[in-house]
Amino acid sequence: ALDHVARATALEGLGRSAEARAALDVALGLDPANRQALGMRGLARASRGDGEGALVDLEAAAAVGPLTAAEA
């Protein structure tokens, strides 16, 4: 899942948001409790005006717990 999160980060940096979202969806399919993927997808949803979807993802990320030093 971490490879897909890294890919999403790179794609987002290139302005390829749809591909980044797809990579995050794959990451979450592999690890539904991945805080990084949930947080990134939540922020991406918020930036596109999907407040409800953003809230779902960000609340799920918060429920998993804070990032560890290795994940940050």
Side-chain angles (χ1 to χ4, degrees):
L2 292 179
D3 289 343
H4 295 287
V5 172
R7 178 175 167 74
T9 301
L11 289 166
E12 192 63 47
L14 294 171
R16 294 164 57 182
S17 298
E19 290 173 83
R21 169 72 188 273
L24 292 170
D25 289 342
V26 171
L28 290 166
L30 296 169
D31 180 5
N34 186 297
R35 290 177 282 254
Q36 288 177 301
L38 286 165
M40 286 179 64
R41 191 172 72 176
L43 293 175
R45 284 177 161 180
S47 72
R48 287 192 316 276
D50 179 8
E52 187 173 321
L55 187 59
V56 168
D57 282 343
L58 295 173
E59 285 181 340
V64 174
L67 291 175
T68 65
E71 293 171 315

